[in-house]
Amino acid sequence: MRKWNTALVLLALLFMCSIQSASAQTTDVKYIDVSNHHWAKNEIMQLDEMKIITGNFDMQFHPETPLTRGQAAVSLSKIFGSKFVDQSFGFSDIAWGSDKARFALTAVENGWIQPSKRGVFGFNEPLTKTELWNSLITAFDMEKDFGKVLSTSWPSSSDRATVQNIPVYTFPQVEEFLQYGDSVVSRAYFSKALHRILVETNRIKQPKQFTLTAPEESVTYSESVPENHLGSVPFSTHPLYLRSKEAFEYIDFTQTNYDFSRDSTYRYAVGTDGAEVKLTVRQLPNEDVFVFSELNNPTDTPITVEVLQKEEDIARFNVFRYDRYPLMRENKDRTDADMTTYPTGLLRFIKTDGTVEERMIGQAYLSKPLSLRYDNGEQSISRELLEEQENFSYALAGKTLLSSYTLQANSGEIADHWYVDSDEPLFNSKDDIFKWMRETSQNHKKRNNWYTADGSYNKLADSTEPMPVTGQNYGRTLLMLKEDRALTLYHENKGRYFENLVYNAFVNLKNFKQDKAYWETEVTSTYLKHLYDIHAPFIDTRFNEQIALFYYNSGSEFGIPSANEPLRNYADLLVSQQQKGNINRVASDAYYIADYFPIKQKVTTHTSMNHALGGMNILLRSYQEFGDWRYLHTARTIQRAIVYQKDQWIRDNGDIWYKVSPEFHFEGDDYKHLTLEDLIESYQLWQQIDPIYLPTLKQLIISKATFLSNEKLGYTTKIKKGLKEIGLYEYLPDGDEFTDAL
């Protein structure tokens, strides 16, 4: 075989010249590992066009990895055709009736490839040189002198200079390959040899040359290795995929319909010891989607899973990053500070048709679940935040963008990630994007960053349990689930992102409540535990009041079914507390409702001014909405208690005491702005229903506002608007204006 006659050499030269003379065409690169300089790029690209051999959906061809028996069977079947062979047997390594079974049986039936052993095809086993030789000779009815094909398809010295770090073998001379050993065959060489045969047998009329555009990868993008497991998630709107070194297997699919929104949840087992990845696609009424991913790892070994999403027809894209604005963190002590920051940024796609799509990408959050069970069977639950990680990377091949979101979890850890996808711009302008990013950097503790399919997690107060040694205790706080700021901004500019956050808030609130009558706080406050020996779960009157108002004020606008029912339900709960004994009575016709109602324990807690006002305001709104006299009666009893004790509520410095205990001790530092907002709202409601109580409320408003002014503590936008509406604008406190009450 080492002797090559002159005719053969001339034929080979003529063939190579014909290839060089073929007109080159500029083509978008399809695989990030088959560049314009790859020695087999022309053959790979043309066979890929013919769908004879293709790469993976993660835009990699793996040209230098071993060709498998299954891959050869697929390619030959696509050339010569395949059909289901009526056999009474199959192969133990291939599912009967699958495409793999069809290709394998076709290869065996035609004598191209023999089973690796009895009953086993060996679909994923490497194909040796000898096996490939025999397969091609049989399939194409070729002469035994395989060197005629090999000599013209073997990489030249110039080709080999472009190939580096090939893991299969170092290229020998062609004669050495033919004579020695039984090496495995790379996918690139197979493509080169097969293409040559198809040209010689006139199945390819005109060999093509390709000039490929350059692929682009982010610095942190990691190309896959052949051993990685790949799988697609059956979500049609935007193709989603999973990639991992661990094998994964589909468990189940569930769908939850919220009337206005729908969750599609896909679960996969990762490895063999109980790890699980869960993808929740939340489709909103405007067709935008939240994608939540969670990796739960109860095993003893670290696990990594990538969630991939592919976008086609991308003309260009930009990433607007949040970290262009430095984080304004007041406390840098890791034990006390909120160590979350802000999302990664906004990914903007400009499509080839000129349309714009956007994706808000969050960070990944690594945590450990915490729980503390009490003697009565109840428990307090939270998470210890271990790390916030940026997990976004990408690869661009031509006009196809593959984005990767990596989840990494060690033993006993949970990794969470989220993003919001829209086929429309999420913001009205770049200015709106940057304003929101700047605001988030300045108020990151009051903006949700760690979203999950079950709700957002936020830093908990130091007075909560269980408390990890690190102090990084996070939980689902009901007031933060409401997205008040997003609602305000949506009303100001109708931004799509803010609309999505509000829709998501309604889903989270519904999931949190489940089938319970009210929203129960799920984390124990050690402050309340030490005072009254109560623990989670319990009903916080202020939280339930705020949620009821959130539904009442905006539910109908967002198409939420029965949006006023939480208002009625909570008003009924307040009315029932006198009979249950959860009150602090001031006189026969006056009492305060306690701030907290334990679910199982029997104890009466204090009443804070802001809770008393908030509950009373709910009752007055409910009276206006439903006309139920019980609501007005209960509101009067609360207001009379405030009237009887107004002078005791006012401190020497003009501020309002925070609370009154069951023993009627007035104590505690009040909120800076929140109580003044409540007093103004109470004034507005009684002004409409019964002005008799306005003098008391005016006295309290002036006292609180004067204190804020003396201390230069400023005011909120809501206070500014409210004082103007009730004719007390002259008492607007000195200081800065805030968007959120302190």
Side-chain angles (χ1 to χ4, degrees):
M1 289 188 182
R2 295 189 172 205
K3 298 179 179 179
W4 309 95
N5 59 45
T6 305
L8 180 58
V9 173
L10 290 175
L11 178 62
L13 290 173
L14 180 62
F15 170 73
M16 297 303 291
C17 290
S18 68
I19 292 179
Q20 296 297 326
S21 64
S23 59
Q25 51 181 308
T26 301
T27 305
D28 284 336
V29 65
K30 185 171 183 180
Y31 301 111
I32 58 178
D33 52 1
V34 179
S35 70
N36 194 50
H37 302 293
H38 192 278
W39 63 276
K41 64 157 184 180
N42 293 323
E43 292 78 10
I44 290 172
M45 289 299 295
Q46 189 162 14
L47 292 179
D48 181 85
E49 279 188 353
M50 300 168 69
K51 302 192 183 305
I52 290 174
I53 184 168
T54 59
N56 294 324
F57 51 70
D58 62 353
M59 304 192 310
Q60 288 186 236
F61 188 82
H62 298 291
E64 314 308 339
T65 59
L67 176 75
T68 67
R69 300 161 58 81
Q71 291 166 354
V74 171
S75 293
L76 293 175
S77 296
K78 289 185 175 181
I79 294 170
F80 295 102
S82 64
K83 62 180 180 180
F84 282 105
V85 182
D86 186 14
Q87 298 263 4
S88 59
F89 69 92
F91 300 109
S92 61
D93 60 330
I94 304 174
W96 179 258
S98 64
D99 286 341
K100 286 184 177 181
R102 175 162 56 93
F103 295 134
L105 288 170
T106 299
V108 172
E109 179 75 7
N110 287 283
W112 304 332
I113 302 173
Q114 296 305 312
S116 64
K117 57 185 176 182
R118 186 176 179 83
V120 177
F121 182 77
F123 201 90
N124 295 319
E125 296 176 14
L127 194 70
T128 67
K129 177 196 68 178
T130 300
E131 289 172 326
L132 175 62
W133 188 332
N134 292 332
S135 296
L136 295 178
I137 288 172
T138 302
F140 291 95
D141 194 22
M142 293 165 48
E143 58 183 283
K144 293 289 186 180
D145 191 358
F146 193 62
K148 293 180 180 179
V149 174
L150 188 60
S151 63
T152 54
S153 57
W154 195 255
S156 66
S157 58
S158 61
D159 286 331
R160 292 199 294 274
T162 68
V163 183
Q164 298 177 354
N165 301 321
I166 295 176
V168 180
Y169 49 70
T170 302
F171 282 111
Q173 297 298 315
V174 60
E175 296 88 345
E176 294 172 348
F177 179 82
L178 287 170
Q179 186 162 343
Y180 301 109
D182 203 9
S183 304
V184 294
V185 179
S186 73
R187 285 168 52 81
Y189 170 69
F190 174 69
S191 301
K192 191 97 170 177
L194 183 60
H195 185 276
R196 172 75 175 104
I197 294 171
L198 293 176
V199 171
E200 283 199 339
T201 57
N202 208 31
R203 288 178 171 85
I204 292 180
K205 305 294 185 184
Q206 177 63 56
K208 290 184 179 181
Q209 277 195 311
F210 293 84
T211 300
L212 301 178
T213 58
E216 177 186 339
E217 298 176 30
S218 62
V219 174
T220 56
Y221 184 80
S222 297
E223 294 186 10
S224 68
V225 296
E227 295 76 21
N228 279 359
H229 298 269
L230 301 168
S232 60
V233 179
F235 177 62
S236 58
T237 305
H238 294 273
L240 294 174
Y241 308 95
L242 295 177
R243 183 166 69 185
S244 177
K245 292 181 181 178
E246 302 287 337
F248 51 86
E249 183 178 0
Y250 173 80
I251 299 175
D252 62 24
F253 164 77
T254 57
Q255 195 166 78
T256 306
N257 195 329
Y258 303 100
D259 294 326
F260 62 95
S261 176
R262 183 176 66 252
D263 278 4
S264 299
T265 302
Y266 309 85
R267 292 194 307 137
Y268 294 83
V270 183
T272 58
D273 297 325
E276 183 179 304
V277 64
K278 181 172 68 174
L279 296 178
T280 300
V281 180
R282 178 165 297 161
Q283 188 158 6
L284 305 177
N286 60 10
E287 302 301 321
D288 290 358
V289 296
F290 271 84
V291 178
F292 304 101
S293 52
E294 175 190 287
L295 172 61
N296 194 330
N297 182 15
T299 73
D300 295 330
T301 57
I303 289 179
T304 300
V305 176
E306 289 179 85
V307 178
L308 307 175
Q309 182 159 337
K310 186 183 289 187
E311 301 295 336
E312 307 284 357
D313 302 320
I314 303 298
R316 63 184 187 278
F317 69 96
N318 296 303
V319 180
F320 302 104
R321 295 182 59 89
Y322 272 79
D323 57 14
R324 67 178 59 217
Y325 298 104
L327 192 71
M328 295 189 179
R329 196 191 301 278
E330 296 177 0
N331 188 346
K332 296 184 179 180
D333 185 327
R334 179 172 172 81
T335 302
D336 297 329
D338 180 355
M339 299 309 294
T340 63
T341 57
Y342 30 44
T344 298
L346 183 77
L347 178 61
R348 171 179 287 180
F349 311 104
I350 311 297
K351 306 297 285 277
T352 53
D353 63 0
T355 58
V356 177
E357 299 179 2
E358 291 184 339
R359 179 182 303 162
M360 182 65 78
I361 302 172
Q363 307 267 25
Y365 295 89
L366 189 65
S367 66
K368 282 192 173 183
L370 303 175
S371 67
L372 179 62
R373 190 168 293 277
Y374 302 100
D375 292 341
N376 64 356
E378 296 177 316
Q379 65 176 339
S380 174
I381 57 174
S382 60
R383 299 260 200 104
E384 178 188 9
L385 177 64
L386 303 175
E387 187 178 0
E388 179 188 74
Q389 304 167 330
E390 180 174 337
N391 71 339
F392 164 64
S393 62
Y394 67 85
L396 179 69
K399 297 180 179 63
T400 302
L401 181 72
L402 185 72
S403 51
S404 168
Y405 308 97
T406 303
L407 301 173
Q408 297 175 312
N410 295 319
S411 176
E413 297 175 353
I414 299 173
D416 294 301
H417 181 253
W418 65 273
Y419 59 85
V420 183
D421 239 350
S422 178
D423 290 339
E424 304 287 339
L426 288 170
F427 295 85
N428 296 326
S429 66
K430 283 187 180 180
D431 284 344
D432 284 351
I433 296 173
F434 298 145
K435 282 174 62 177
W436 173 245
M437 290 181 172
R438 188 183 307 111
E439 178 179 315
T440 302
S441 72
Q442 295 169 348
N443 302 278
H444 83 284
K445 291 176 65 176
K446 288 183 172 289
R447 301 293 176 265
N448 289 320
N449 298 308
W450 177 1
Y451 287 104
T452 75
D454 299 318
S456 56
Y457 281 78
N458 300 92
K459 182 70 163 61
L460 299 174
D462 294 341
S463 55
T464 52
E465 67 176 22
M467 176 62 67
V469 175
T470 60
Q472 289 299 296
N473 201 20
Y474 288 72
R476 299 186 298 170
T477 58
L478 286 168
L479 287 185
M480 292 299 290
L481 290 182
K482 296 189 295 93
E483 300 283 6
D484 283 339
R485 183 58 180 163
L487 179 62
T488 298
L489 292 174
Y490 174 71
H491 286 153
E492 288 180 5
N493 61 32
K494 300 300 180 183
R496 197 176 183 93
Y497 182 61
F498 305 123
E499 179 185 32
N500 291 342
L501 291 181
V502 176
Y503 276 128
N504 187 57
F506 282 115
V507 176
N508 288 335
L509 287 168
K510 189 173 181 67
N511 284 338
F512 190 104
K513 183 170 175 281
Q514 296 182 346
D515 57 353
K516 298 172 183 175
Y518 306 101
W519 284 271
E520 300 174 3
T521 299
E522 62 185 8
V523 182
T524 293
S525 163
T526 54
Y527 167 72
L528 294 176
K529 185 180 179 183
H530 293 154
L531 281 176
Y532 308 112
D533 196 29
I534 66 173
H535 54 68
F538 58 87
I539 294 175
D540 184 316
T541 57
R542 189 76 211 225
F543 289 179
N544 277 265
E545 167 228 325
Q546 290 292 306
I547 293 170
L549 287 174
F550 182 68
Y551 272 87
Y552 177 71
N553 291 330
S554 57
S556 297
E557 177 185 1
F558 285 83
I560 309 302
S562 305
N564 62 352
E565 283 308 300
L567 185 72
R568 186 202 301 271
N569 291 342
Y570 184 57
D572 289 341
L573 176 68
L574 294 175
V575 169
S576 70
Q577 295 314 300
Q578 180 184 10
Q579 185 176 359
K580 294 179 179 180
N582 288 327
I583 63 170
N584 294 307
R585 186 173 291 279
V586 175
S588 59
D589 63 344
Y591 59 75
Y592 303 112
I593 297 174
D595 280 6
Y596 307 100
F597 313 147
I599 302 304
K600 292 184 178 180
Q601 298 160 291
K602 303 296 182 183
V603 64
T604 301
T605 71
H606 62 260
T607 300
S608 57
M609 175 61 91
N610 75 88
H611 280 241
L613 293 169
M616 180 180 71
N617 293 343
I618 278 283
L619 290 164
L620 293 173
R621 286 185 181 277
S622 299
Y623 172 70
Q624 291 177 320
E625 178 72 16
F626 306 110
D628 191 326
W629 67 269
R630 297 176 305 143
Y631 302 152
L632 180 59
H633 174 75
T634 306
R636 287 186 187 279
T637 61
I638 297 171
Q639 181 62 66
R640 279 195 291 265
I642 295 173
V643 170
Y644 295 161
Q645 296 189 316
K646 67 179 187 303
D647 294 330
Q648 293 167 269
W649 277 108
I650 299 175
R651 303 176 65 171
D652 293 341
N653 61 4
D655 197 10
I656 307 297
W657 288 107
Y658 169 67
K659 67 176 183 177
V660 58
S661 71
E663 298 77 29
F664 291 99
H665 298 142
F666 291 83
E667 55 195 4
D669 292 331
D670 192 29
Y671 291 101
K672 292 182 176 66
H673 304 130
L674 181 63
T675 303
L676 181 54
E677 289 183 348
D678 294 328
L679 285 165
I680 293 171
E681 185 175 352
S682 297
Y683 189 100
Q684 292 171 318
L685 288 166
W686 281 118
Q687 193 174 43
Q688 300 167 29
I689 296 171
D690 188 350
I692 191 175
Y693 303 113
L694 296 186
T696 295
L697 292 168
K698 180 178 180 180
Q699 179 183 350
L700 292 170
I701 289 170
I702 293 174
S703 182
K704 179 72 174 181
T706 302
F707 165 76
L708 293 176
S709 191
N710 292 339
E711 299 295 325
K712 302 293 190 295
L713 294 176
Y715 54 91
T716 65
T717 303
K718 186 175 180 180
I719 289 172
K720 178 181 178 180
K721 181 181 178 183
L723 289 175
K724 184 176 294 186
E725 289 175 350
I726 64 175
L728 296 177
Y729 191 70
E730 61 189 287
Y731 296 102
L732 183 70
D734 291 340
D736 296 331
E737 181 174 350
F738 298 89
T739 57
D740 302 89
L742 301 174

